[in-house]
Amino acid sequence: MIGRILRKRYKIIGQLGYGGFGETYLAEDLDIPTETKPKCVIKHLKPRAIAKNIPYADIERLFKKEAEILYKLGQTYTQIPKLYAYFEQRKNMYIVQEFIDGNDLSQEITSGTRWKESDVIRFLEEMLKILVFIHEHNVIHRDIKPSNIMRRKFDGKLVLIDFGLVKPITTSGILKCTIPVGSPGYVPVEQFQGRPKFSSDIYALGITAIQALTGIDYPMQLSIDATDEIAWRDLAQVSESLAQILDKMVLYDFRKRYSKAAEVLNDLNFNILRLQPSNYEWLSPVRIGRKWGYMDDRTGQVIIQPQFEDAYEFTEGLASVRIGEKYGYIDTNGNFIIHPQFEWAYYFSEGLAEVLINGKSGYINVTGKVVIQPQFDMANLFSSGLAEVCIGDQYYLIDKTGKFIEE
């Protein structure tokens, strides 16, 4: 394949990996009119190796659906590779994706090297935010492990790659079409039996975190206790609060495990992160050229690249920014938690933020849900459970339900 040109556009320049479901190659995009051609990743899929008894037309339809999902995920979230193209050529299927320049975590999670607990906490926080996003889109990754997590070189952020095993689920929570896939040691029993769930990704992430804490070579080196649970605590120096979260992430019975990534993140936030200094305290808006981004006040390093028409300071871990004519909210990784949809948006205070919709002010919560309908000509931040608002010439106090307290 080296030197081959696909679709008269993508020149294969190296092999990145191979497996039972296909090969992965590094390629150059010859259509881009620059002297140095930009790199991309091409996955040559082997559908017959995945499902020998399924008609080719069904396999083709399945992969096209998965390509649509990958496109939607990558376009929306900066820590998932963008999908550039999906095509067939001589009964072969190809996916073209963004090339992530960096190193995968198999180079950092190495034998005999134990991560500090603080590093594992930051790792979990960042990865859980990615999982919350894909789980909200009813997608299970199914192959989370160190080699499928990249640390991007230019900003140090984690990127979840290799969505080749991704599967959409129905509203009933049952996969439309699935077979037992994944990497040994990271796969829970229900996924091995061909019935993966959201909690299967949580299991794999928990195993990866335990591997980093203990410094073991492979997860299969971990022993199992009399109750069929993983015995790992004696191999790590870890606080009880983090150990309890990890234990619940990797429970044998998926019914006792965390069911969604948001539940794990909530526990991490409440039991650990809220007791630590907040990252957003050191992030400040910075204008470079005509765009706004964010820099770390301590180092002067740009953490979130300039891409916004307007940007406010972070409060409660979220910041209001403008794309085009609409405002939304990003987290400290630069990912949109609440997509641009408001005419104006202000700081969060006590879990609520003022937004402007059709010329009137109302309040949203951290999920973007409108909890106090837009009806005010002016509105202020909440303090001690109350906020001052104005309708016409009259000023009022309201509580967090929107109830008027007094004029």
Side-chain angles (χ1 to χ4, degrees):
M1 284 285 286
I2 307 300
R4 184 177 175 185
I5 299 176
L6 300 174
R7 246 190 180 185
K8 299 181 180 180
R9 174 172 182 174
Y10 304 107
K11 182 179 180 180
I12 306 296
I13 61 174
Q15 187 167 26
L16 296 175
Y18 63 91
F21 302 128
E23 293 94 18
T24 305
Y25 297 96
L26 183 63
E28 292 178 335
D29 189 342
L30 302 180
D31 271 11
I32 305 301
T34 57
E35 184 175 346
T36 302
K37 300 301 181 184
K39 294 181 176 61
C40 58
V41 172
I42 292 186
K43 291 186 178 181
H44 174 202
L45 306 174
K46 293 181 177 180
R48 286 301 178 196
I50 300 175
K52 296 180 181 179
N53 299 321
I54 299 178
Y56 183 83
D58 290 342
I59 297 174
E60 180 182 25
R61 186 164 51 251
L62 174 64
F63 278 119
K64 283 183 178 180
K65 180 63 177 178
E66 292 181 4
E68 291 175 8
I69 293 170
L70 293 177
Y71 177 78
K72 184 177 182 180
L73 294 178
Q75 290 296 115
T76 311
Y77 207 85
T78 61
Q79 288 171 271
I80 295 173
K82 290 181 172 62
L83 179 74
Y84 294 145
Y86 166 86
F87 61 92
E88 293 181 63
Q89 188 169 304
R90 297 179 181 177
K91 291 293 183 179
N92 289 300
M93 297 180 182
Y94 298 92
I95 286 178
V96 185
Q97 287 183 299
E98 175 186 6
F99 169 66
I100 306 299
D101 187 12
N103 64 272
D104 69 66
L105 290 197
S106 67
Q107 300 176 44
E108 298 182 22
I109 301 176
T110 55
S111 175
T113 301
R114 296 181 181 179
W115 281 25
K116 294 186 296 184
E117 179 170 328
S118 58
D119 293 332
V120 173
I121 290 170
R122 284 195 294 271
F123 163 76
L124 283 173
E125 180 188 18
E126 193 168 352
M127 286 300 301
L128 284 167
K129 288 178 179 178
I130 299 174
L131 286 189
V132 167
F133 174 77
I134 69 171
H135 289 174
E136 284 177 346
H137 284 76
N138 287 331
V139 166
I140 305 173
H141 185 276
R142 298 203 299 170
D143 199 22
I144 294 172
K145 58 183 178 179
S147 60
N148 280 342
I149 303 169
M150 298 288 295
R151 190 176 299 281
R152 196 160 50 199
K153 183 182 293 184
F154 85 90
D155 62 1
K157 292 178 182 176
L158 300 179
V159 180
L160 182 59
I161 66 169
D162 201 356
F163 278 72
L165 303 182
V166 69
K167 290 294 177 185
I169 65 170
T170 65
T171 54
S172 65
I174 301 173
L175 287 170
K176 294 178 181 176
C177 178
T178 187
I179 54 174
V181 293
S183 300
Y186 302 93
V187 177
V189 62
E190 74 277 358
Q191 182 172 329
F192 181 77
Q193 294 171 346
R195 298 178 180 230
K197 306 180 184 303
F198 292 128
S199 60
S200 305
D201 282 347
I202 294 168
Y203 180 95
L205 181 61
I207 292 292
T208 302
I210 289 172
Q211 186 179 352
L213 273 173
T214 58
I216 59 172
D217 275 318
Y218 305 103
M220 289 179 289
Q221 291 178 318
L222 295 169
S223 59
I224 305 298
D225 65 19
T227 63
D228 287 332
E229 303 300 348
I230 297 171
W232 63 274
R233 290 197 185 198
D234 291 343
L235 302 175
Q237 294 181 341
V238 61
S239 67
E240 181 63 23
S241 55
L242 179 59
Q244 287 183 5
I245 290 174
L246 290 173
D247 279 342
K248 189 172 180 180
M249 291 177 72
V250 298
L251 286 172
Y252 178 86
D253 188 342
F254 71 86
R255 292 168 296 186
K256 299 178 181 179
R257 209 182 298 149
Y258 290 105
S259 61
K260 289 189 177 182
E263 296 176 7
V264 196
L265 188 58
N266 286 339
D267 265 9
L268 195 71
N269 279 325
F270 184 78
N271 295 311
I272 298 176
L273 292 174
R274 73 183 180 92
L275 305 176
Q276 299 178 339
S278 301
N279 292 335
Y280 65 80
E281 292 177 358
W282 297 288
L283 285 179
S284 296
V286 59
R287 186 172 182 174
I288 300 177
R290 296 183 177 181
K291 297 289 186 179
W292 288 86
Y294 289 83
M295 72 173 184
D296 189 325
D297 291 333
R298 299 165 297 179
T299 64
Q301 181 182 2
V302 175
I303 302 299
I304 300 174
Q305 295 300 311
Q307 56 193 291
F308 312 112
E309 280 72 38
D310 195 7
Y312 285 84
E313 293 180 355
F314 277 90
T315 58
E316 301 185 2
L318 296 175
S320 168
V321 297
R322 178 163 62 92
I323 294 285
E325 298 300 322
K326 297 294 184 180
Y327 285 83
Y329 290 86
I330 59 170
D331 64 14
T332 54
N333 292 317
N335 296 311
F336 273 103
I337 301 301
I338 302 172
H339 293 287
Q341 56 191 287
F342 308 111
E343 296 156 28
W344 186 73
Y346 202 46
Y347 302 114
F348 269 93
S349 177
E350 299 185 1
L352 297 179
E354 178 200 358
V355 295
L356 196 66
I357 301 175
N358 296 326
K360 293 292 184 180
S361 291
Y363 291 88
I364 60 170
N365 63 18
V366 293
T367 69
K369 180 182 178 181
V370 176
V371 293
I372 300 177
Q373 292 299 318
Q375 55 191 294
F376 312 113
D377 297 309
M378 186 203 74
N380 289 317
L381 297 173
F382 270 89
S383 177
S384 300
L386 299 176
E388 183 183 38
V389 297
C390 173
I391 299 177
D393 296 329
Q394 298 295 317
Y395 287 82
Y396 306 87
L397 287 178
I398 59 170
D399 64 15
K400 288 187 174 182
T401 68
K403 179 182 176 181
F404 290 87
I405 303 302
E406 61 181 62
E407 183 174 330

